[in-house]
Amino acid sequence: MNALRITMGVDDDANWLDWVTKQFENIAGEDKEINLEEFKTALKSFFAERFFTLFDSDASGSISLDELLEALHLLTHGSETDKLRFLFQVYDVDGSGSIDPDELRIVLKSCLRESAISLPEEKLDDLTMALFESADKDNSGAITFEELKEELENFPEVMDNLTISAANWLKPPTTEKYTRQTPRYLTPAYWHNNSRKLLFMCCYILVNIFLFTFAAMKHTSFGGWVMLAKGCGQCLNFNCTFIVVLMLRRCLTWLRATWVVRILPLDQHVLLHQLVGFAIFGLSVVHAFAHVVNFVKMTQNVGTYQLWEYLLTTRPGIGWIYGMASITGVILQLLIILMLICSNTFVRRSGHFEVFYWTHLSYIWVWALLILHGSNFWKWFVLSGFLFLTEKIVGIAVSRIGATQVVEVNLLPSKVTHLVIKRSPFFHYKPGDYVYVNIPAIAKYEWHPFTISSAPEQKDTIWLHVRSLGQWTNQLYEYFRQPELLDNEPKRLTKSMRTKKHQKSAQVCLPLYRMRKQNCPSCSYSWCENVKDNEMSLRKVDFIWINRDQKSFEWFVSLLTKLEMDQADEEPQGRFLEMHMYMTSALSKNDMKAIGLQMALDLLAEKENRDSITGLRTRTQPGRPDWSKVFQKIAEEKKGKVHVFFCGSPVLAKTIKAQCEHFGFKFYKENFQ
């Protein structure tokens, strides 16, 4: 379990000790002491036995509350030497007063297991000897306390982490609550980074206010409820048309190549589509409620028809086509509610994408009913309907002409499917583009977007790396696990592939634009030719890749290794591509249990010029990035404007976006909803 840095005042310290006492009482039995098995159950670590032995000061075979608090006080408030000696005793398994290679190997092996790092026995031996030889200054065959202290002084960050005690396995509650002085949405940084979206939203709201006011004022003689209904109705005419425009992907792709992209938030069209959908729901509810209230008044004042007749029949003659306004209105309201519910994330990402897909197709019925429902809707819908129909016709034509084949499939660790697809000579794309893929054998009507992971210079094929995270992607992986499909014949699985220009994805193939590949015509030698700075606005790429386990790094290791080799001697003033690898399952440097392992990995990486986990020259860091330090370093490099491209979990996106706003960086999130 990773430790956390704790800074506590006197009151916080007392509260924490009270909390520790309660936790001890919950674990301890009637004898008010914790034995080794109970301690192992609580700590769930190889180090439980070592800690238990050190905490059991009277060697009674159990730990009392007083013994535990005494040990925690030493680790929390003791001197640097006290903490170093405790660490030394953890590694001195036999208690002989020195650490021999076998003891060090046992500890490092346990650290690797707890970090979910799998290395061959030979590599474990190399790690052990790298750390042992560095620490055994007098070549005596054993590491003394003084030698360990001297070795640790060569790692300043490790010395700082000694202030983090092993007692933090108890996970004390957070004692410091951070309160933002100014709400995030009111900060200048937020407005600067979201200026296009905010300007667009302001214009959108003003348009709706104008339409509502204009329609309501035309019906002042009919009373307030009719004014409310007509105002919402006019807004619905606009929104039910505008929501189509936001999903015209081919038109939006074309607009991204024009000056319009500097004004409109085209990359956030999916988010805006969702917001307009919520607006339609709210306006339709108010519109329907206002009409119902008006119908109730009419039944009371006129008495010609009952309320149910106004709502569910054509007898009152309300509507411009056969008096169908009320009936179509009821059906429309039900369809809108159904589409809203089935569009939620919990439906789309819980293995029921087809529910979202088929219910969303109800928009065809919604448009047809709206034409029957309101006398003016067709006038609003002419242009957007024409564009929509044109896109569909073009899409069908492309799907017929642009059929392609999967020529190779590689099933990678962590259930990742690597598709190698034959590339048409007419298929062009740029780094950051993605394609929509349809595989009829899995789902005939479903199209799913995936970022192209190969470089545009790769002429014959394109690569897609698809991680199994949902129903469709899991079916894809399982489909290719069938032995009869893995033969030498290419499978005609994709009906078509449609490229979408998408400028928000950070691609590992970007440096290929910086370094022009040259090949000798008479031999196989190749080299990279640098592009001059005045020909290239991109100055530097920091590629940050965070994975939970070691196997996930295997997906792109060959490509990343090639990029490292290509630029090894080509950047005398600093690397154009700098990689940052993080493995979250590994015990972090803030964990006392991991100090030896991280020192050994550092020493061996320096000796072999290669990381033991990935095989890259870039050292894999344990835990998660400290984003404030990462972005602070990038800001201090002063390479120019910084743009952060993110693809990952929404929770992490919020954290990174907040940091980007703090440093004034532009933030882009890849969104395939």
Side-chain angles (χ1 to χ4, degrees), residues 518-527:
Q518 302 292 330
N519 298 292
C520 178
S522 58
C523 67
S524 59
Y525 180 73
S526 63
W527 70 97

Side-chain angles (χ1 to χ4, degrees), residues 321-453:
I321 298 179
Y322 304 115
M324 295 182 64
S326 295
I327 296 178
T328 55
V330 171
I331 299 174
L332 280 167
Q333 190 66 65
L334 294 175
L335 286 176
I336 290 172
I337 293 173
L338 178 66
M339 291 174 69
L340 182 71
I341 293 174
C342 295
S343 298
N344 274 285
T345 304
F346 73 87
V347 174
R348 289 184 287 109
R349 297 184 178 177
S350 61
H352 302 288
F353 181 85
E354 70 280 0
V355 175
F356 157 75
Y357 178 81
W358 287 109
T359 55
H360 226 61
L361 284 179
S362 300
Y363 63 76
I364 302 295
W365 293 105
V366 169
W367 291 337
L369 290 169
L370 282 171
I371 292 174
L372 298 175
H373 180 77
S375 59
N376 292 318
F377 177 74
W378 69 271
K379 302 174 185 177
W380 289 85
F381 187 65
V382 168
L383 179 59
S384 61
F386 172 76
L387 292 174
F388 174 81
L389 184 62
T390 303
E391 280 221 348
K392 287 298 180 182
I393 293 174
V394 172
I396 293 173
V398 170
S399 67
R400 299 292 183 186
I401 299 172
T404 185
Q405 296 174 329
V406 176
V407 297
E408 183 181 343
V409 178
N410 298 303
L411 301 181
L412 303 179
S414 301
K415 296 191 72 175
V416 173
T417 307
H418 174 208
L419 300 177
V420 180
I421 301 172
K422 185 177 180 181
R423 180 178 177 180
S424 167
F426 305 104
F427 182 76
H428 304 287
Y429 66 95
K430 296 179 180 179
D433 287 355
Y434 63 93
V435 291
Y436 273 81
V437 179
N438 169 259
I439 301 184
I442 297 176
K444 187 175 181 180
Y445 300 104
E446 292 186 22
W447 293 82
H448 294 268
F450 298 101
T451 302
I452 301 173
S453 52

